Amino acid sequence: MTAEPTSPLAGWTDRLAALAPALIVAERPYRSQLTVRVSDPDAVAAMGSALGVAFPPVPCTFSAGSGPFGDVEVLWLGPDEFLVVAPPGLQTEIEEVLRGALGSHRGSVVDTSAQRTTVVLEGPHVRDVLAHGCSVDLHPSSAPTGTCVQTLLARTGIVLQVTGADTFTVLVRSSFAEYLAAWLSDACVEYGVAS
Amino acid sequence: MQLIPCPWCGPREEAEFHYGGQAHVAYPEDPSALTDEEWAQYVFFRENPSGPFAERWSHSAGCRRWFNAVRDTRTHDLLAVYRAGEPMPEVTS
């Protein structure tokens, strides 16, 4: 018998829900995440077709699509580094498939699912709240939908995805998640949330 | 807050970066043949110009890549950034 897992923000569900409507915050825990290091263009293409989602060719973007593993996102983290994000519980299968696609090319596929948890932020004030602790220009003209940056939010390293007009996805290290939740609660106070 | 233009990620605040000292300090081709004085020169001695200076920087909170930048040590202006392995561009300060 396996114990039920506890997500990093399990204790914050109610407090984060109380930030609505200024900010709608929801954790999406346990997603499968794999860090892929690969630079060979053939291997990148093979991995993309194995997932059904082409790897993002442009820095600071992500690609999304559906394939044999359901809805999958591939995030650009560096010139030869990507993060594959898929629904929970698929990390072992995806790791095998990606290793097969890598073949004899130089690179690595590592399961990092436990490293980060996912927080989805939406609402009319989402850019204002993020601007309290993030120096990246998030105006739609410079950060359109599809943007994916690694940066600091309130001194915490995050991966920030722009997934819609007023929708952002934040991947934060599990041990920093509660700090970030507390910071978000505080940053929302001036937008009509009871402190 | 100063913005540093990462050659991969674009302008980011300087808190995301780490400094790596003088750029283009080549590792000795035959380290065992160096005298103690030559080794000390390689390990410890660096230029200290008043003006443009080629330096290594790491975008440690972003793409985590090392790159080179030419910075004017008098004004702290970044005159050019270029990826690791690329030659130092001509700069006018």
Side-chain angles (χ1 to χ4, degrees):
Chain A
M1 186 180 158
T2 311
E4 283 293 310
T6 305
S7 75
L9 290 177
W12 281 82
T13 311
D14 294 341
R15 277 175 281 183
L16 291 177
L19 301 179
L23 193 67
I24 299 156
V25 188
E27 186 192 12
R28 292 178 63 197
Y30 315 130
R31 294 206 297 172
S32 304
Q33 296 165 60
L34 296 106
T35 302
V36 177
R37 297 294 300 264
V38 60
S39 54
D40 184 88
D42 293 338
V44 170
M47 287 181 167
S49 52
L51 291 175
V53 183
F55 278 38
V58 180
C60 297
T61 61
F62 73 95
S63 55
S66 266
F69 301 104
D71 292 332
V72 173
E73 291 175 346
V74 184
L75 284 56
W76 186 96
L77 297 185
D80 62 354
E81 185 172 2
F82 302 89
L83 186 71
V84 174
V85 184
L90 299 173
Q91 50 268 47
T92 313
E93 296 165 55
I94 296 176
E95 190 176 341
E96 279 179 25
V97 166
L98 289 180
R99 287 228 171 109
L102 182 63
S104 58
H105 295 289
R106 197 170 62 166
S108 68
V109 181
V110 180
D111 173 15
T112 52
S113 305
Q115 186 187 359
R116 297 182 179 97
T117 191
T118 308
V119 183
V120 177
L121 308 174
E122 47 189 316
H125 292 299
V126 64
R127 283 186 174 79
D128 302 324
V129 171
L130 289 172
H132 283 287
C134 180
S135 64
V136 174
D137 184 0
L138 295 175
H139 190 271
S141 62
S142 64
T145 301
T147 299
C148 170
V149 294
Q150 289 184 90
T151 184
L152 298 174
L153 175 61
R155 298 173 299 284
T156 303
I158 57 159
V159 182
L160 182 68
Q161 290 173 263
V162 186
T163 49
D166 286 323
T167 316
F168 290 77
T169 299
V170 173
L171 288 98
V172 59
R173 295 208 164 80
S174 301
S175 54
F176 283 88
E178 289 195 302
Y179 162 74
L180 197 69
W183 181 86
L184 279 172
S185 305
D186 182 57
C188 283
V189 167
E190 66 184 84
Y191 302 104
V193 177
S195 56
Chain B
M1 177 185 66
Q2 178 164 21
L3 294 177
I4 296 177
C6 170
W8 293 102
C9 304
R12 299 291 184 87
E13 68 170 322
E14 66 179 309
E16 294 188 9
F17 295 84
H18 273 105
Y19 182 67
Q22 183 181 347
H24 309 300
V25 179
Y27 190 76
E29 281 193 20
D30 186 4
S32 60
L34 262 56
T35 64
D36 285 355
E37 189 181 338
E38 287 169 330
W39 188 248
Q41 285 284 342
Y42 164 70
V43 174
F44 300 114
F45 284 70
R46 294 293 180 265
E47 300 294 319
N48 185 23
S50 172
F53 187 35
E55 301 167 327
R56 302 192 312 149
W57 287 83
S58 169
H59 190 191
S60 47
C63 63
R64 301 191 291 125
R65 290 317 111 136
W66 284 94
F67 62 94
N68 297 319
V70 182
R71 181 177 63 94
D72 191 318
T73 58
R74 297 165 298 185
T75 61
H76 205 44
D77 283 343
L78 283 154
L79 305 172
V81 294
Y82 50 107
R83 293 173 183 177
E86 293 178 354
M88 180 178 159
E90 295 281 328
V91 294
T92 50
S93 57

